[in-house]
């Protein structure tokens, strides 16, 4: 049964429900905390992501990065994304971790919406730049004043 996200557009409700489906694919033997992501590209294709954990903990990959990296490997280029939805079993809408925010800044436009939800139907939308203000970006590398 689809989760109803009251007051949200059909398009983003559907994207959140796809992220919900991606959650079930998570490999989470250590945290038992499933996260799902659905990344909509500019051709209307959806790239699934789930978290994939590791016995050494550090190599764990979050759902958001799985979706983004997978889309790049499938031939999408940075900026060719319309929106990403993220779902988790959290009290309020799930919040992407700091590392994922940095990767979103690298691969998505600053205005791209990040649609965050939970299993109870709570949701919130923020742009990539709202999630990581003042980010270190590719442009920062070209801005050395003393060269
Ligand atoms: N996790 C995600 O996949 N995305 C988030 O936005 C937050 C955290 C994962 C990492 C780890 O597998 C588990 O959730 C617990 O931190």
């Amino acid at each position: 049964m689809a989760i109803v996200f009251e007051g949200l557009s059909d398009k983003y409700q559907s994207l959140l429900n796809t992220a919900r489906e991606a959650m079930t694919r998570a490999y989470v033997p250590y945290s038992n905390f499933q996260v799902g992501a659905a990344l909509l590209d500019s051709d209307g294709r959806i790239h699934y992501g789930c978290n994939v954990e590791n016995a050494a903990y550090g190599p764990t990959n979050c759902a958001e990065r799985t979706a983004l990296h997978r889309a790049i490997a499938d031939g999408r280029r940075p900026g060719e994304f319309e929106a990403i939805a993220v779902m988790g079993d959290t009290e309020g809408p799930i919040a992407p971790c700091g590392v994922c925010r940095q990767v979103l800044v690298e691969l998505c436009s600053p205005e791209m919406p990040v649609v965050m939800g939970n299993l109870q139907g709570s949701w919130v939308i923020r742009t990539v730049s709202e999630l990581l203000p003042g980010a270190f970006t590719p442009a920062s590398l070209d801005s050395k004043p003393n060269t």
Side-chain angles (χ1 to χ4, degrees), residues 50-147:
C50 62
N51 47 339
V52 182
E53 298 187 341
N54 190 282
Y57 296 174
T60 290
N61 212 59
C62 290
E64 299 89 323
R65 276 177 290 141
T66 301
L68 288 158
H69 291 177
R70 183 175 173 186
I72 293 293
D74 280 343
R76 298 294 87 190
R77 293 294 89 201
E80 293 180 349
F81 304 112
E82 260 197 39
I84 188 169
V86 193
M87 280 287 286
D89 188 10
T90 39
E91 201 180 327
I94 190 162
C97 82
V99 171
C100 288
R101 291 175 196 224
Q102 183 69 36
V103 174
L104 284 162
V105 164
E106 180 79 26
L107 299 178
C108 306
S109 80
E111 299 80 28
M112 192 194 83
V114 180
V115 188
M116 298 159 274
N118 72 4
L119 299 182
Q120 278 72 50
S122 299
W123 61 274
V124 66
I125 301 180
R126 297 281 179 264
T127 64
V128 166
S129 66
E130 283 170 338
L131 288 181
L132 191 59
F136 187 86
T137 68
S140 309
L141 289 171
D142 298 324
S143 62
K144 288 191 289 182
N146 298 315
T147 50

Side-chain angles (χ1 to χ4, degrees), residues 8-92:
L8 185 62
S9 68
D10 287 352
K11 178 176 162 177
Y12 288 158
Q13 290 215 36
S14 152
L15 202 59
L16 277 173
N17 274 292
T18 304
R20 162 78 185 107
E21 193 185 321
M23 257 178 97
T24 64
R25 303 179 181 183
Y27 172 72
V28 288
Y30 309 106
S31 73
N32 202 29
F33 185 80
Q34 297 179 326
V35 184
L39 176 64
L40 179 64
D41 73 24
S42 28
D43 287 336
R45 293 202 183 89
I46 292 177
H47 306 265
Y48 278 58
C50 62
N51 47 339
V52 182
E53 298 187 341
N54 190 282
Y57 296 174
T60 290
N61 212 59
C62 290
E64 299 89 323
R65 276 177 290 141
T66 301
L68 288 158
H69 291 177
R70 183 175 173 186
I72 293 293
D74 280 343
R76 298 294 87 190
R77 293 294 89 201
E80 293 180 349
F81 304 112
E82 260 197 39
I84 188 169
V86 193
M87 280 287 286
D89 188 10
T90 39
E91 201 180 327

